[in-house]
Amino acid sequence: MTAPARTPGSPPVRPYAPRRRQAGSPPVRPYAPRRRQAGSTPADLVLLLIGACFLLPLLWLILASLDAEAGHELRLPDRAGLDNFAAVLTPELLLRPLWNSVLLSGGTATVAVVAAVLAAYPLSRYRSRFNRPFMYTVLFGTCLPITAIMVPVYGLFVQLELLDSMTATIFFMATTTLPMAIWMTRNFMEGVPVSLEEAAWVDGASRMTALRTIVLPLMKQGLGVVFIFVFIQAWGNFFVPFVLLLSEARQPAAVSIFSFFGQHGAVAYGQLAAFSILYSLPVLVLYVIVARGGSGSFALSGAVRG
């Protein structure tokens, strides 16, 4: 490849040469990381204090569960053992309430996710002037405290003879978590390109078929996030099952934990700590399973060709 001809009167083209350091100029020093600022020490102390506020209760929970004579103070057990776990590992105290919690939380999360998908699909795919007011109305539903609506809900359950019904309680708890579930599901659904559904429509698929076979598989990690969110909200809900479920055979673990608080301020701290640890294990196991199943980020790499 020949160089372009130089026009008459133009300066000659010189080959590129690296720029030399002039005499007397300071030498170029290699890059060194910046030192920590002096103001970072107070910030570290504040973070350590906040971490201690979360760590000390967990430490008390572990130590008290191994201490047969545990109290409200944080101390090392004189004789560590598993007596507290053996005392609570009974069908009446732990197994049946945990099973009720799994049914109640799993049913609530399933109903909420299904309803959120059906509500978020038209809000995500159809543009209307009523979309924004409707979404703000849904968001307003998250601001209502549950205690403000429990009196009319209790009266409605009495009139319809739905008290002490696990199914009715599941549907009511699903409606209380539905506003936030709709918002989250809509945000995840908007990440799925509409062009993929249009290709399925060209092949003869209906909208519900495209939703089931195209959209939902691509947003399964988002649905897992919504499921975990609703599940945890229902798992720790004490007030609603306490009001609507009357018999002890149907009460979840969030309500049965109240039995460790005796009369006249007597509390079985060791058994309470052991029950609390076992009560939190299903949620941790569910989180690990969903996290491993959706180890990648919510991305649609390969779904659309550039």
Side-chain angles (χ1 to χ4, degrees), residues 21-27:
R21 184 171 61 88
Q22 297 180 0
S25 61

Side-chain angles (χ1 to χ4, degrees), residues 106-185:
T108 301
T110 303
V111 173
V113 168
V114 173
V117 167
L118 296 178
Y121 183 73
L123 294 173
S124 174
R125 293 299 186 256
Y126 299 99
R127 303 302 176 186
S128 173
R129 61 178 181 177
F130 299 105
N131 283 7
R132 187 178 296 273
F134 180 78
M135 291 302 296
Y136 284 135
T137 304
V138 171
L139 184 62
F140 175 76
T142 61
C143 303
L144 294 176
I146 193 65
T147 54
I149 61 176
M150 278 310 299
V151 173
V153 168
Y154 182 82
L156 180 64
F157 271 58
V158 170
Q159 293 181 2
L160 298 179
E161 299 181 355
L162 295 176
L163 281 179
D164 205 23
S165 173
M166 184 71 75
T167 304
T169 306
I170 287 175
F171 277 97
F172 173 70
M173 293 180 64
T175 57
T176 59
T177 58
L178 191 58
M180 187 57 67
I182 292 176
W183 269 88
M184 296 173 65
T185 307

Side-chain angles (χ1 to χ4, degrees), residues 175-285:
T175 57
T176 59
T177 58
L178 191 58
M180 187 57 67
I182 292 176
W183 269 88
M184 296 173 65
T185 307
R186 177 177 176 268
N187 292 334
F188 285 118
M189 191 171 292
E190 287 185 345
V192 180
V194 186
S195 58
L196 300 179
E197 294 181 74
E198 294 175 349
W201 298 338
V202 171
D203 294 338
S206 62
R207 293 188 179 272
M208 294 304 297
T209 302
L211 173 63
R212 187 181 67 254
T213 59
I214 303 297
V215 179
L216 294 183
L218 291 176
M219 57 175 297
K220 60 181 180 180
Q221 297 178 10
L223 295 179
V225 172
V226 178
F227 186 90
I228 290 180
F229 174 79
V230 178
F231 188 92
I232 293 177
Q233 293 292 321
W235 186 266
N237 197 323
F238 168 82
F239 188 64
V240 174
F242 180 75
V243 174
L244 300 181
L245 298 176
L246 304 180
S247 62
E248 295 183 1
R250 291 184 175 88
Q251 289 181 351
V255 178
S256 64
I257 197 175
F258 189 70
S259 62
F260 294 99
F261 296 88
Q263 297 180 354
H264 307 291
V267 182
Y269 289 103
Q271 297 181 12
L272 177 63
F275 185 90
S276 300
I277 292 177
L278 296 176
Y279 172 59
S280 60
L281 287 181
V283 177
L284 297 177
V285 171

Side-chain angles (χ1 to χ4, degrees), residues 88-98:
V88 300
L89 277 173
T90 61
E92 293 78 12
L93 286 178
L94 183 67
L95 300 182
R96 186 172 60 191
L98 279 182

